Amino acid sequence: MSINLFDLTGKTALITGGVHGLGMAMAKGLGQAGAKIVVNDLSQAALDNALAEYKSVGLEAYGYVFNVCDEQAVIANIAKIEAEVGPIDILVNNAGIIKRTPIVDMTVEDFTAVITVDLISPFIVSKNVAKGMIQRGGGKIINICSMMSELGRDSVSAYAAAKGGLKMLTKNMATEWAKFNIQTNGIGPGYFATSQTAPIRVDGHPFNEFIISRTPAARWGDPEDLQGAAIFLSSKASDFVNGHILYVDGGILATIGKPSNE
């Protein structure tokens, strides 16, 4: 009984931007729990590489090229996915960008670009996927938030503004759609060992030392550490969980940090 609560067999999951990194790790977890995987990207080459990776580990996966910020493209591709693969039971709004620029130096255009991808696109994709979920009587939506949904940090003002907004959008989606048996929640990753962080995850690098000392678990997260959270929030096990942000951060947000003399 308890194992069946996490079984995603027969479900179709759309993971936006799920072609590498944390998005791919979460998609693999959902696939291993039984779901059919659908990912999107702006690049056909990136999709082809991702689909080859999913196939190599025995997962059923499909790829579509479209821009999550273009509502007409989103609507058209949702229709294609549901006609060709199946109704979207699980949506993971994972696509995102970051621009590291001090506020006084950041252009309005760059700030707007981050807000558009990281906050407006989850609104666009969710509202259009949710219409089908409402008609079918349920679904799961997971917004990929961040520790920057709770904390500020130098040079990431647009990202923090977007992720803080996404936290509240998640809560409002839950408020509006829970009555339709749609559970809307978020995952807030901490600092993870990915190809992007490899250059700074070396002994002696100041940021590496900072993350290890700042994290109660005393390590970087492994991308697979996100899979349990993604499966839980996609499965029957979370049918009465709504509007929650699950931080997978090794305990960073739980503590003020170690004193300097420790």
Side-chain angles (χ1 to χ4, degrees):
M1 175 74 74
S2 61
I3 294 175
N4 290 340
L5 287 174
F6 299 92
D7 184 10
L8 302 180
T9 301
K11 303 294 185 181
T12 298
L14 169 60
I15 303 91
T16 65
V19 296
H20 57 76
L22 302 185
M24 176 174 276
M26 288 184 285
K28 285 181 176 179
L30 299 183
Q32 289 160 1
K36 292 181 287 186
I37 301 304
V38 182
V39 296
N40 90 297
D41 196 78
L42 296 174
S43 162
Q44 184 63 55
L47 277 178
D48 291 342
N49 290 336
L51 294 178
E53 172 65 18
Y54 289 125
K55 183 178 180 180
S56 74
V57 294
L59 299 180
E60 183 179 358
Y62 305 84
Y64 292 81
V65 175
F66 65 94
N67 184 347
V68 291
C69 302
D70 180 342
E71 185 164 25
Q72 293 309 308
V74 168
I75 291 170
N77 279 276
I78 288 172
K80 285 181 64 177
I81 292 165
E82 298 201 329
E84 296 172 0
V85 183
I88 298 170
D89 304 291
I90 301 158
L91 168 63
V92 181
N93 284 306
N94 167 75
I97 62 172
I98 188 170
K99 293 181 183 290
R100 294 180 175 86
T101 309
I103 293 173
V104 295
D105 297 324
M106 192 168 213
T107 65
V108 172
E109 291 77 14
D110 279 352
F111 191 93
T112 301
V114 175
I115 296 295
T116 299
V117 176
D118 293 358
L119 179 57
I120 296 178
S121 79
F123 161 77
I124 291 172
V125 181
S126 295
K127 66 173 279 195
N128 288 293
V129 169
K131 291 175 183 178
M133 291 179 172
I134 290 169
Q135 292 176 350
R136 294 188 293 271
K140 303 282 186 176
I141 297 175
I142 303 171
N143 292 323
I144 303 306
C145 297
S146 166
M147 288 191 300
M148 301 303 103
S149 298
E150 302 289 345
L151 299 172
R153 187 178 157 209
D154 284 351
S155 302
V156 294
S157 60
Y159 184 80
K163 294 299 186 177
L166 187 56
K167 177 184 78 169
M168 295 311 301
L169 180 61
T170 300
K171 292 177 180 291
N172 217 83
M173 288 176 177
T175 300
E176 293 194 21
W177 297 337
K179 59 181 175 286
F180 300 114
N181 190 34
I182 298 172
Q183 290 79 52
T184 308
N185 295 285
I187 294 175
Y191 288 93
F192 278 78
T194 65
S195 59
Q196 289 92 338
T197 61
I200 60 175
R201 284 186 290 105
V202 294
D203 291 344
H205 193 289
F207 197 76
N208 183 60
E209 301 301 321
F210 169 72
I211 292 303
I212 292 174
S213 65
R214 180 68 178 80
T215 305
R219 66 175 178 89
W220 292 74
D222 187 286
E224 283 69 33
D225 289 328
L226 286 172
Q227 292 179 344
I231 293 168
F232 167 62
L233 293 177
S234 298
S235 69
K236 284 186 63 63
S238 61
D239 277 357
F240 203 56
V241 179
N242 239 313
H244 177 73
I245 313 301
L246 176 52
Y247 290 101
V248 185
D249 66 355
I252 290 179
L253 289 175
T255 179
I256 197 171
K258 295 181 180 180
S260 59
N261 62 347
E262 184 175 323

